Amino acid sequence: MSVHCKQDAPDERNVLDSTKQGVLGEPLERPEGLLKVTGTATYAAEFDAESCLEGVLVTLPVVRGTITSIDRESVLQMPGVVAVITDERLTGRAAQGMAGEAPFQPAQQVCYWGQPVALVVAESFEEARDAAKHLSVECNADEGDAPLDPDTVEAEQRKPTKNGDLAHAMTQAAHSVDATFTTDGHASAAMEPHAAMAQWDGQSLTVHASLQMLKFNRAELADSLNLKEKQVRLIAPYVGGGFGSKLGISQETVGASLAAMKLGKPVRVVMSRQQVFQTIMRRSETTQRVRLAADSEGRLTGFGHEARVSNLPGEEFAEPVLQSSQFLYGGDNRLLQLEVARIHRMTAGSVRAPGEAVGVQTVEQAMDMLAEKAGIDPVELRLRNIPERHPAKDKPYSSRKLAECLREGASAFGWKDGPRKPRHTREGEWWIGSGVASAARIHAVVEAKARVTLRPDGTALVETDMTDIGTGTYAILGQVAGEMLGLSLDDVEVRLGDTDMPPGSGSGGSFGASSCGSAVFLACEGLRDTLAEKLGIEASDLSLKDGFALWENEKKSIAEVLDGKAIEEIGHFEPGKSTEDYAVASFGAFFAEVAVNHWTGETRVRRMTGAFGFGRVLNARTARSQCLGGMTWCIGNALTESLLFDPTDGHLANCDLAEYHVPVHRDVPDLEVVLLEERDAAASPIQAKGVGELGLCGGAGAIANAIYDACGARVFAYPMTPDRVLAAMPDK
Amino acid sequence: MRPFDYQRAERLEHAAQLAADDDTMALAGGTNLIDLMKLQVETPQTLVDIGRLSLGEIADEGDGLRIGALASNTATAAHARVRSDYPVLARAILAGATQQLRNKATTGGNLCQRTRCYYFTNIDQPCNKREPGTGCGAIDGIAKLHAVLGTSPHCIATYPGDMAVALAALDATVEIAGDSHERSVPVREFHRLPGDTPERDNVLEAGEIITSVTLPAPVGGTQIYRKVRERSSYAFALCSVAAVIDMADNRFTRADLAFGGLAHKPWHDPRIADLLVGSEPSPALFDKAADLLLEDARGYGENDFKIPLARRTLTAVLCEATGVEA
C-alpha cells in the first residue's frame, strides 16, 4: 500500500502536535552514535570481500590537454599489478548534485590539473599506489588555451532580477553603501575520503560507496557504465561527512565499478586526501558588489548584489550567491546579477550551503556599513528592513522568525543597543568587539519515499535509501515514526543507505529531514488508518502511545491489534505548489564577539550566539549539533579557509588538512544556539524546514563586523587572515 | 610510497654505518618522514629505525641539560627542568603540531623536519630542494608561507619548526655522532641557508646521527615564545619570536632572540643583542632592532606582509618583556 502526497497547499492540520507519544523534537541521542564513536560503524572503505583488489587513481599534472596514449606495459610488470583501467567510461569529473546522469566529460580530455585519467589495480594498496605514480601517460598539452584567472576572462551573464532603477535610487539615497567583496574558494573537507568497493557478478553491480544521494547516484553510475539502473545497487549506511562533495558520483565509484566489471573480482578505490582536494568539487571563489540605498531612517530604497563566480567550461552549476538576496531585505529598486567565468580549475559545485554560505555575509557587512552611516543600531537597522512580502515576486512568506531571532539572539548574547563606533574596548594587546548578521537559507524539498512496517510484535521498521551523513537521520526518522505510531525510539528500527529500499530524497541542500521525514509521516498516516480500520473506529479517534492503541475509554496493545500480521505502507512525498506560492526559507541571526590582536592581526572568536527558526524541530540535540557545525564553518569561512591555486599552472597548492585550514578545537569557543519554535505549513507536511546549512549562512559576516567593531579594520576579503586584517588596520 | 628495506639499529655505530649510504634514512618518530614517503617526496631505499637506541634520556649535564635525540617533544616540554629553567623551549614545543604528533615526534627528528613549501611536497611541481635543477615553483607561485630573509634565487622555503627557534635563542648545541667520530654544532649553525644547494637543510653529513641537544646553564630572565598563525593550533608559523630577555636598572642585560617562519633556518642575528644590551628599552630602540633584523628582507609578493608582521611581532615581544608601552 502506498500513501502519496503532492503538497499543493499548506498542511495546517499540524497532525504531529496532536499525537501523544511526545518523542518528536526531544533531544534524543542518535541510535547509531555508539557505533560511530567506538569505530564500529562500517564506512565504505571498511567493507571487505574475498580477494578484493585495490585500485589507485592516476592523476595527470597537466591543466589542459588530450591523452594520446597510456603505456600499460610501463607498470604491468611491477609487483602485484593486475590491470590498468583506461576505459573511456572512466569519468574525469565528479557529477553535480542531483544530475542523475553520467558526469560531463570522459577522462581522455584533461580539463584541470590533477584530473584522474586511469586506474591502476593491484593486489595491495601500496603496490597500486606505487604503480600509479609510474604509469607512463602521453598527453598533448594545450595549456595556452586554459584560462586560470577568474578575474580576467570574459564571463557569461545569467538572467538578472531587475526592479525599478537602482542607479537612480543610489543617487537619491540619504545613506548609501557601494562595496566590493571577495571570497576565496572552499573545499568540503569531509573527514571520510571518497571511497568505493565494487562487486560484479556478471549481471549486477553492488557498490559500497560514500555518497549522499543514492537515488540519483544509482542513475549516474548506471549511465556512466551503460548499465540499467536495476543492475546497480548502492550501499552506504554511514557516510563520514559530505558537505556537498558526495552529492554526485565521483571518479572512485566509477573506477572501482569498471575495474570490478572487467576483472570479475571485487575492487576497492580510496582517494588520497590530496586527490579529494584536487579532483572533487570546489566552491568557487567569488567577487561580489553590494549596493544599498536607504532613506534617512535607514529603510532600504535600493538593493543591488552582483557576483562573479567561476566554473569549468561545460558545467551548468554557478555558485548561487544571490539566492537569499532575492528575499532577505526590501528595497523597491533592485538589481541582482550573477556571472560565470570559465576557467580551468576542478569542477565548481555544491559545497556546504552553496550560495548563502558566501552570499549572505557580504550583504551583512554592507548592512553594518549602512548602520554606521545612518547612525542606527545594526540590529535595529535589520529589523527595519524586513519586507512584508517577497520584494521581487510579491508573494507572502510562509513563516519567518527573522525578527524574533534578531531580538532573542541579541538578548541571549547581551547585545548593547545603539549606534557603534570601533575600538571601544581593549584588553592588553587585544581589541574586543562584537557584530551581528542575519541568517537566511532557501528551503527546498525533494521527492522521497519511505516504507514503514508495523511488525507483529508491535515494533516498527523504517526503510529508505536516504543517507545519514553525520546529521542524525537515523534518529529523526525514528522519531517521526515513533511519534506517529506511539512507540519509543527503542521500538523503531531505521534502515538507511541501500538502493534496494524505497528511494528517499538523499542528503543535500538541507532538504533531507523535511522530505524524508514527510515520506515517513505519510506512511505512518496510512498505518494509523489501517489500525483504526481494524478497530472499527475513525482514525481521528485513535491515539497511539507507548505501544498501545487508545480510543474512547478503550486500550489495546498494537501487537494485539495486528493479530500476528505485519502491515506496511510506503509514504510518497512530492513537492507541489505550496513551496511556489509562498516565499519559504529558514532564517536566523548571528552574534559574535572577537578579539583582534593589535600587533599581529590575529583574530580569535571569543563567543558566538546563533538564534534560528527552521520550522518544526525534529530532534533538539541533532538540530543544535547542525547549528554548531554551521557556526564552526562560519569561523573557518571568516578567518582561515582558502583554496590556493597556482597562478602559472592552476594546480591547487594546499591540498591537505594541514595546509587547508578548517577551524581546530581551539578556534571554536563556547557556541550558544537558540532554537525558536516554528511551524511552517507550506514547507512540508511535517511543518519542518531545513536546518543543516542555515548555521553557516551569514555568520562569517557577524565575525567580519565584529573585527571592524573591535579594531576599525574593515576587511573586504574572506578569509580575514592576519595579513589582510593588518593591511586594513587603522594607524598601523 | 616506493618499496623500501627496513632495518632496526641496535647500536649507534651500527646505525651510523647504515646511514652512511646515500639512499638510507634514519627513522625516529616518523611524523614527517613517513608522510613524505607516502607522497614520494622522500624515496629512501632503506630505513634505519633508530627508535631502540638509548637516546631518549633527559639528564643534567653540568649546570646545563642534555636532551636525548629520541626524547619525545611531549616528554621534553613536560620535563621539570625544561619548564623551570628553559620555559621558552617548553612554550615553543607546545606551540607546534598537536598533542598526538608531539607524543611521537623526537628532538632529533624535529631538528630535521623538512619544509612545508607546497612545491616541495608535490612531486609534480618543480623544486630545487627536492630535485636540484628543476627550478623553484614558489618564487612566482603560492609563496605565503615563504622566507623573506636569507633566500636565494634557487629556494625561498622556510624551516617550519618551533622547537629549534627556542633552541637557537637559548644557544643550545647539537651533539652529532658518526661511525667513528663525534662533533658538536651550535643550533644556530646547524641549519643552513639555501644558497645554490637548497637540497641540504642542515650540516648533517651522510652517516651522521644526532644523539642529543645540550642546553647551557640556565640564564633565567623573561622567556617568551610568540607564534603568529592563522588558526590557534596545528598551523605553522607565519612568523615566530623566541626571546630570552633580562633587565637590570631598566637596561637590557640579555636579549637573545631568534625568529621562525622567516628563513630557511631559525634566524639569529647577533647584532640585535649587541644593539639592545646596555640600552634602555623604548619604542625607538625596538624600531632600530627591527630595522637591523629586516635590513636585507625581501618579499616575493604573497609573503610581503611578513616584513611588517615580523617588525610588529618583535615589537610586541619586546614590549611584553620590558613593560614598555608602544
Side-chain angles (χ1 to χ4, degrees):
Chain A
M1 296 256 292
S2 169
V3 182
H4 176 242
C5 168
K6 184 165 198 259
Q7 195 181 8
D8 285 327
D11 185 339
E12 306 281 5
R13 296 174 303 150
N14 278 337
V15 171
L16 288 162
D17 283 326
S18 56
T19 49
K20 300 286 186 247
Q21 187 62 25
V23 68
L24 195 61
E26 288 298 296
L28 302 181
E29 290 177 11
R30 302 158 190 229
E32 83 290 5
L34 192 65
L35 294 178
K36 286 179 174 170
V37 298
T38 54
T40 44
T42 315
Y43 290 83
E46 298 173 318
F47 284 94
D48 222 338
E50 204 177 326
S51 55
C52 184
L53 299 171
E54 306 286 343
V56 168
L57 289 162
V58 179
T59 61
L60 213 57
V62 168
V63 69
R64 190 172 186 193
T66 307
I67 304 223
T68 52
S69 75
I70 295 177
D71 181 10
R72 291 178 181 75
E73 298 305 320
S74 61
V75 298
L76 281 175
Q77 301 309 312
M78 290 181 71
V81 174
V82 174
V84 178
I85 307 292
T86 58
D87 193 293
E88 62 184 12
R89 291 171 289 177
L90 193 65
T91 51
R93 300 184 189 177
Q96 295 285 356
M98 300 169 77
E101 59 183 21
F104 180 75
Q105 195 99 11
Q108 281 77 3
Q109 293 292 327
V110 176
C111 288
Y112 60 93
W113 197 101
Q115 180 184 308
V117 296
L119 181 79
V120 172
V121 183
E123 283 166 11
S124 76
F125 169 72
E126 288 76 11
E127 288 164 331
R129 182 172 58 183
D130 187 28
K133 289 278 187 201
H134 281 86
L135 184 70
S136 170
V137 179
E138 296 279 329
C139 176
N140 271 341
D142 189 9
E143 294 174 9
D145 197 23
L148 298 172
D149 180 359
D151 296 330
T152 54
V153 296
E154 211 172 303
E156 303 160 16
Q157 303 234 319
R158 293 288 167 95
K159 190 168 170 270
T161 300
K162 272 187 185 168
N163 300 79
D165 184 344
L166 176 61
H168 182 68
M170 290 292 286
T171 63
Q172 300 299 305
H175 307 288
S176 67
V177 173
D178 182 348
T180 299
F181 304 87
T182 61
T183 67
D184 289 351
H186 294 156
S188 291
M191 186 151 28
E192 181 200 21
H194 288 54
M197 197 276 278
Q199 292 168 281
W200 171 253
D201 66 5
Q203 291 298 318
S204 61
L205 182 72
T206 303
V207 188
H208 293 272
S210 182
L211 294 165
Q212 295 178 226
M213 309 184 73
L214 299 191
K215 169 173 68 182
F216 299 95
N217 303 138
R218 179 192 209 184
E220 289 151 9
L221 186 58
D223 190 29
S224 300
L225 301 171
N226 302 329
L227 294 176
K228 294 190 174 68
E229 276 192 46
K230 64 181 181 191
Q231 289 177 279
V232 176
R233 181 184 178 193
L234 295 177
I235 300 173
Y238 304 109
V239 178
F243 310 110
S245 71
K246 297 165 182 171
L247 290 177
I249 58 166
S250 303
Q251 299 89 336
E252 82 294 337
T253 302
V254 179
S257 302
L258 274 174
M261 289 167 68
K262 281 186 185 263
L263 301 172
K265 284 186 176 174
V267 177
R268 172 176 18 239
V269 178
V270 183
M271 280 197 185
S272 69
R273 182 67 65 189
Q274 288 77 13
Q275 287 179 334
V276 174
F277 270 87
Q278 287 170 347
T279 70
I280 304 296
M281 305 285 174
R282 65 185 167 97
R283 186 204 304 284
S284 172
E285 71 296 324
T286 73
T287 301
Q288 304 177 41
R289 182 186 187 192
V290 181
R291 282 182 284 174
L292 303 176
D295 65 16
S296 58
E297 306 282 292
R299 288 189 174 82
L300 289 170
T301 54
F303 182 98
H305 194 178
E306 295 150 88
R308 168 179 281 231
V309 302
S310 70
N311 208 340
L312 273 169
E315 294 289 339
E316 174 66 17
F317 182 89
E319 179 76 18
V321 176
L322 316 176
Q323 218 153 231
S324 284
S325 289
Q326 299 281 1
F327 58 79
L328 177 57
Y329 296 125
D332 288 343
N333 300 286
R334 306 179 76 80
L335 173 62
L336 306 180
Q337 173 77 62
L338 183 68
E339 58 181 29
V340 194
R342 296 295 172 190
I343 58 166
H344 286 259
R345 293 176 180 169
M346 78 290 279
T347 314
S350 296
V351 173
R352 308 183 218 141
E356 282 91 331
V358 288
V360 179
Q361 67 212 37
T362 57
V363 171
E364 291 303 310
Q365 260 189 285
M367 287 294 277
D368 206 55
M369 294 163 75
L370 182 64
E372 186 182 33
K373 285 192 171 178
I376 298 170
D377 173 72
V379 173
E380 173 59 26
L381 179 79
R382 286 165 173 83
L383 290 170
R384 280 184 200 177
N385 282 294
I386 299 176
E388 290 278 312
R389 292 167 70 83
H390 189 296
K393 295 183 179 161
D394 191 34
K395 59 185 180 183
Y397 293 88
S398 55
S399 70
R400 182 179 42 173
K401 293 284 183 188
L402 177 55
E404 294 85 341
C405 288
L406 283 162
R407 291 196 181 99
E408 293 196 26
S411 159
F413 181 80
W415 179 261
K416 290 194 182 67
D417 291 340
R420 304 169 78 77
K421 204 167 173 231
R423 294 202 165 198
H424 48 75
T425 306
R426 183 150 171 182
E427 294 178 8
E429 295 181 359
W430 298 87
W431 295 106
I432 313 300
S434 55
V436 61
S438 297
R441 175 68 178 163
I442 53 152
H443 170 72
V445 271
V446 168
E447 182 176 9
K449 289 182 183 174
R451 177 169 50 229
V452 182
T453 307
L454 263 177
R455 300 186 278 213
D457 64 358
T459 63
L461 172 65
V462 176
E463 296 168 290
T464 160
D465 80 353
M466 174 64 181
T467 47
D468 184 312
I469 58 171
T471 43
T473 311
Y474 284 99
I476 58 153
L477 295 188
Q479 283 172 278
V480 171
E483 186 61 45
M484 287 295 287
L485 300 174
L487 298 173
S488 76
L489 203 51
D490 291 339
D491 288 330
V492 182
E493 182 187 352
V494 180
R495 292 186 193 154
L496 301 177
D498 184 338
T499 52
D500 274 359
M501 299 191 289
S505 61
S507 300
S510 300
F511 49 64
S514 47
S515 303
C516 289
S518 292
V520 171
F521 168 81
L522 292 169
C524 292
E525 276 203 305
L527 293 173
R528 289 175 66 102
D529 287 347
T530 306
L531 289 175
E533 203 177 305
K534 283 179 184 284
L535 291 166
I537 59 171
E538 292 294 318
S540 54
D541 294 331
L542 174 67
S543 292
L544 297 170
K545 187 169 170 28
D546 298 331
F548 286 89
L550 307 159
W551 70 101
E552 292 170 5
N553 290 321
E554 306 276 339
K555 179 175 180 180
K556 202 169 181 180
S557 80
I558 294 173
E560 245 181 295
V561 181
L562 291 170
D563 193 22
K565 291 188 209 67
I567 54 175
E568 67 169 53
E569 291 279 359
I570 289 179
H572 179 190
F573 166 72
E574 268 191 282
K577 287 206 198 85
S578 73
T579 45
E580 294 165 19
D581 294 344
Y582 294 84
V584 190
S586 297
F587 295 89
F590 299 98
F591 296 83
E593 179 180 298
V594 305
V596 183
N597 190 279
H598 170 74
W599 294 109
T600 64
E602 289 165 291
T603 301
R604 305 290 180 243
V605 176
R606 303 221 300 190
R607 63 196 182 94
M608 202 168 170
T609 297
F612 306 104
F614 45 89
R616 186 190 298 278
V617 177
L618 304 178
N619 177 321
R621 181 192 297 258
T622 57
R624 176 174 174 273
S625 287
Q626 291 286 286
C627 298
L628 293 176
M631 290 161 75
T632 301
W633 286 131
C634 289
I635 296 172
N637 181 341
L639 301 179
T640 57
E641 286 186 66
S642 166
L643 293 176
L644 303 174
F645 290 94
D646 181 273
T648 308
D649 69 6
H651 82 276
L652 175 64
N654 55 337
C655 50
D656 61 39
L657 291 170
E659 300 301 340
Y660 180 82
H661 289 166
V662 299
V664 296
H665 282 96
R666 220 174 146 190
D667 294 316
V668 185
D670 196 16
L671 303 177
E672 181 185 23
V673 176
V674 180
L675 301 180
L676 275 74
E677 276 295 333
E678 183 183 16
R679 302 285 180 266
D680 194 321
S684 64
I686 57 174
Q687 297 81 36
K689 293 186 278 198
V691 57
E693 296 162 309
L694 179 62
L696 66 127
C697 298
I703 295 169
N705 292 336
I707 290 173
Y708 177 73
D709 184 52
C711 69
R714 180 62 82 187
V715 188
F716 294 92
Y718 292 87
M720 298 179 181
T721 45
D723 51 318
R724 287 169 170 173
V725 173
L726 267 192
M729 189 86 89
D731 69 38
K732 59 180 177 292
Chain B
M1 185 177 277
R2 300 259 178 90
F4 59 91
D5 290 329
Y6 171 89
Q7 304 228 23
R8 183 184 290 146
E10 304 293 345
R11 290 175 300 108
L12 182 59
E13 301 74 26
H14 183 220
Q17 280 162 11
L18 290 169
D21 189 316
D22 276 347
D23 292 321
T24 299
M25 296 184 77
L27 172 70
T31 57
N32 191 212
L33 178 56
I34 301 296
D35 281 355
L36 293 176
M37 286 173 67
K38 287 180 183 173
L39 297 170
Q40 296 198 6
V41 172
E42 299 280 18
T43 52
Q45 285 184 1
T46 305
L47 279 189
V48 185
D49 185 348
I50 59 170
R52 301 239 174 148
L53 303 183
S54 304
L55 297 174
E57 195 183 37
I58 303 175
D60 292 349
E61 175 87 0
D63 292 334
L65 190 68
R66 176 186 292 271
I67 301 169
L70 292 176
S72 75
N73 281 180
T74 298
T76 305
H79 191 271
R81 273 206 67 201
V82 173
R83 287 161 56 104
S84 62
D85 294 346
Y86 311 97
V88 68
L89 177 59
R91 287 172 189 148
I93 290 173
L94 295 176
T98 64
Q99 182 69 60
Q100 294 92 329
L101 286 166
R102 293 192 296 267
N103 288 344
K104 286 297 289 176
T106 64
T107 313
N110 195 264
L111 283 171
C112 296
Q113 186 182 8
R114 308 218 64 187
T115 185
R116 305 299 299 194
C117 173
Y118 307 122
Y119 298 83
F120 174 73
T121 54
N122 186 335
I123 62 168
D124 293 317
Q125 290 294 323
C127 173
N128 288 322
K129 180 181 279 297
R130 191 188 63 246
E131 211 177 330
T134 55
C136 172
I139 286 178
D140 293 318
I142 303 293
K144 191 168 180 184
L145 294 174
H146 290 72
V148 293
L149 292 170
T151 57
S152 85
H154 306 287
C155 181
I156 60 170
T158 49
Y159 170 75
D162 294 295
M163 180 191 79
V165 181
L167 291 176
L170 290 165
D171 198 13
T173 303
V174 185
E175 310 295 345
I176 296 168
D179 178 17
S180 57
H181 73 279
E182 292 180 0
R183 64 180 178 127
S184 303
V185 177
V187 166
R188 292 171 185 176
E189 293 165 23
F190 178 75
H191 295 93
R192 302 172 65 253
L193 289 180
D196 55 8
T197 52
E199 68 274 19
R200 295 194 59 201
D201 292 351
N202 54 53
V203 301
L204 216 52
E205 301 284 346
E208 288 190 324
I209 286 176
I210 298 171
T211 54
S212 66
V213 168
T214 39
L215 294 163
V219 296
T222 300
Q223 303 200 1
I224 294 168
Y225 189 71
R226 179 68 174 260
K227 179 176 179 179
V228 182
R229 45 186 162 175
E230 289 182 4
R231 60 181 176 189
S232 57
S233 178
Y234 195 45
F236 291 88
L238 297 172
C239 164
S240 72
V241 182
V244 179
I245 288 169
D246 221 350
M247 310 274 292
D249 301 329
N250 197 34
R251 286 177 189 277
F252 284 100
T253 56
R254 177 178 295 278
D256 295 330
L257 294 155
F259 302 85
L262 301 180
H264 196 259
K265 58 183 288 186
W267 193 260
H268 174 260
D269 185 337
R271 295 177 303 166
I272 296 176
D274 291 346
L275 170 78
L276 295 176
V277 170
S279 300
E280 286 188 18
S282 70
L285 181 70
F286 301 166
D287 245 1
K288 276 190 199 161
D291 288 344
L292 274 181
L293 171 70
L294 298 165
E295 193 172 63
D296 296 320
R298 178 192 163 181
Y300 291 83
E302 286 211 324
N303 67 348
D304 289 351
F305 74 94
K306 282 193 175 184
I307 299 171
L309 180 64
R311 173 179 296 275
R312 293 175 73 93
T313 311
L314 171 59
T315 307
V317 166
L318 292 174
C319 286
E320 182 186 342
T322 59
V324 166
E325 286 192 21

